[in-house]
Amino acid sequence: MSEQQETKKQRIFSGIQPTGVFTLGNYIGAIRNWGQLQQDYECIYCIVDLHAITVMQKPADLRANTMRCYAMMLACGIDPKQSVAFVQSRNPHHADLSWVLSCSTMFGELNRMTQFKDKSARHADNINAGLFTYPVLMAADILAYNADLVPIGADQKQHLELARNVAIRFNQRYGETFTVPEPYISPAGAKVMSLQDPMKKMSKSDENVNGCVYILDDKDTILRKFRRAVTDSDAEVCYREGKDGINNLMTIYGCVTGKTMDEITAEFAGKGYGDFKTAVGEAVADHLAPVRDEFARLSADKAYLNACIDAGSEQAYRLTRPILSKVYRRVGFIDRK
């Protein structure tokens, strides 16, 4: 493929916070798809450590989690030679652009952000200004790269819409500057629910440890969690309204095996929920085994990880520098050297 053809690829930006081990929901809904997208798009993937400090962090833990998150990202299929994979705080253009964009963002827009309300309720002792304005930083993350597409889940639509509104407003005020990003929504597996409360999204904050599966859980732990998963009293493996627990398990099973809902229904016809839950646990554990092995290998090679972070961060800086220079000229700042 020629260099000219390569540049015609649409650009995708996505980021994830370094807040511990990825959940199965993170993996199926987002991270797994990142690796697949590398074939068809110019991909930029970021560990958003600046976002992480809206909640109180122990510095040593944040550094360790950032490195672990980066290793997990690579273990899940991100190739640092094929994609730009970096750490957000290593590219100062994100914070620089965030300030400029905050002056094109309306207070009312931020006040309507549902995640601010949710996080304020959970962290009532630390309702800081960053918690309120971090959607602007999220917009800066995307717009600094003129991303065409942003992979999002249902709970992130509001933030992408804000980024689009800010880009359009800035373009109208100062002339065409930013690409207005579009959502990229994966056709399957976009939302994995808690194994203990299938009406809620799978989350690290679930108080019930059996509700959330982590991609680094060992096989015995994964099997135990799936065997304890909440189902219903019908004892029929089929996807239909009112069977939230079974629907969730079928979705997960389909995502890791590639089977359709009809194929799963036929496979478990006449079998009990116990057999089905064990099969889902086995399939998930086997699917994640290569990820766990690759994570262990990468974690043992700190020099390689640091070299990848350095190279990715330099690439990111080079990509955003002309965009930031253009923004600064448009708003009237003296040109950067």
Side-chain angles (χ1 to χ4, degrees):
M1 183 177 289
S2 71
E3 185 176 345
Q4 186 175 7
Q5 288 174 309
E6 197 69 45
T7 59
K8 291 182 180 178
K9 286 185 177 181
Q10 286 186 297
R11 182 176 288 178
I12 279 184
F13 177 91
S14 197
I16 191 163
Q17 287 203 37
T19 53
V21 178
F22 299 157
T23 69
L24 181 64
N26 298 142
Y27 176 76
I28 288 177
I31 309 297
R32 183 180 68 162
N33 300 324
W34 287 7
Q36 297 166 355
L37 292 172
Q38 293 175 126
Q39 308 307 316
D40 300 313
Y41 299 92
E42 179 188 356
C43 296
I44 300 167
Y45 296 127
C46 179
I47 308 299
V48 290
D49 54 340
L50 294 178
H51 288 288
I53 64 170
T54 58
V55 176
M56 291 293 292
Q57 301 279 347
K58 292 181 179 179
D61 290 346
L62 178 58
R63 277 189 288 272
N65 283 334
T66 299
M67 291 294 291
R68 181 166 62 167
C69 188
Y70 191 86
M72 278 189 284
M73 188 169 68
L74 300 193
C76 289
I78 304 306
D79 182 353
K81 294 181 180 178
Q82 192 173 6
S83 298
V84 179
F86 72 107
V87 174
Q88 183 189 30
S89 63
R90 294 286 299 274
N91 182 0
H93 291 150
H94 290 246
D96 292 348
L97 182 58
S98 181
W99 171 251
V100 176
L101 295 184
S102 70
C103 298
S104 290
T105 305
M106 300 299 104
F107 183 88
E109 290 176 308
L110 295 178
N111 206 36
R112 289 191 291 272
M113 291 286 121
T114 56
Q115 284 202 13
F116 169 71
K117 296 172 184 176
D118 294 342
K119 286 193 174 183
S120 295
R122 293 202 305 270
H123 304 282
D125 59 337
N126 185 30
I127 306 176
N128 56 73
L131 195 63
F132 186 70
T133 61
Y134 89 93
V136 183
L137 178 57
M138 189 178 294
D141 297 337
I142 299 164
L143 300 182
Y145 298 89
N146 274 336
D148 300 293
L149 298 167
V150 181
I152 60 169
D155 59 340
Q156 296 169 316
K157 289 181 180 179
Q158 194 181 31
H159 289 122
L160 181 59
E161 194 58 38
L162 177 72
R164 288 173 50 82
N165 290 342
V166 171
I168 291 168
R169 187 177 298 128
F170 190 96
N171 290 348
Q172 289 172 341
R173 286 179 178 176
Y174 299 106
E176 288 299 316
T177 306
F178 295 117
T179 299
V180 179
E182 297 288 342
Y184 178 91
I185 300 175
S186 175
K191 201 168 186 179
V192 174
M193 313 306 284
S194 166
L195 298 185
Q196 292 299 307
D197 185 354
M199 298 296 289
K200 296 192 310 184
K201 185 178 175 182
M202 183 177 285
S203 171
K204 300 170 190 173
S205 60
D206 195 328
E207 294 180 359
N208 190 328
V209 295
N210 293 309
C212 182
V213 174
Y214 297 95
I215 67 169
L216 300 183
D217 281 345
D218 60 43
K219 185 169 185 175
D220 288 344
T221 300
I222 292 172
L223 284 171
R224 183 178 70 251
K225 289 179 178 180
F226 275 102
R227 284 169 178 158
R228 294 177 178 176
V230 170
T231 52
D232 55 56
S233 58
D234 288 349
E236 181 184 4
V237 177
C238 64
Y239 195 100
R240 65 168 179 253
E241 187 176 353
K243 293 175 68 68
D244 301 302
I246 289 296
N247 294 347
N248 185 40
L249 293 177
M250 290 180 73
T251 297
I252 293 169
Y253 191 65
C255 285
V256 299
T257 63
K259 295 179 181 179
T260 66
M261 296 300 112
D262 287 343
E263 288 171 337
I264 297 169
T265 299
E267 180 182 353
F268 292 96
K271 297 181 181 178
Y273 282 172
D275 290 338
F276 177 54
K277 290 193 286 186
T278 296
V280 179
E282 292 273 4
V284 168
D286 291 346
H287 184 83
L288 292 177
V291 175
R292 294 193 298 272
D293 291 345
E294 181 64 2
F295 173 79
R297 185 188 72 80
L298 290 167
S299 296
D301 193 347
K302 294 294 191 295
Y304 174 74
L305 287 178
N306 282 315
C308 288
I309 290 173
D310 289 345
S313 300
E314 288 172 8
Q315 284 179 282
Y317 185 87
R318 287 197 300 270
L319 285 174
T320 54
R321 184 170 183 172
I323 297 169
L324 262 291
S325 295
K326 185 176 183 179
V327 168
Y328 272 35
R329 289 195 303 273
R330 288 282 167 87
V331 300
F333 296 157
I334 294 173
D335 284 350
R336 289 185 170 195
K337 299 295 184 182

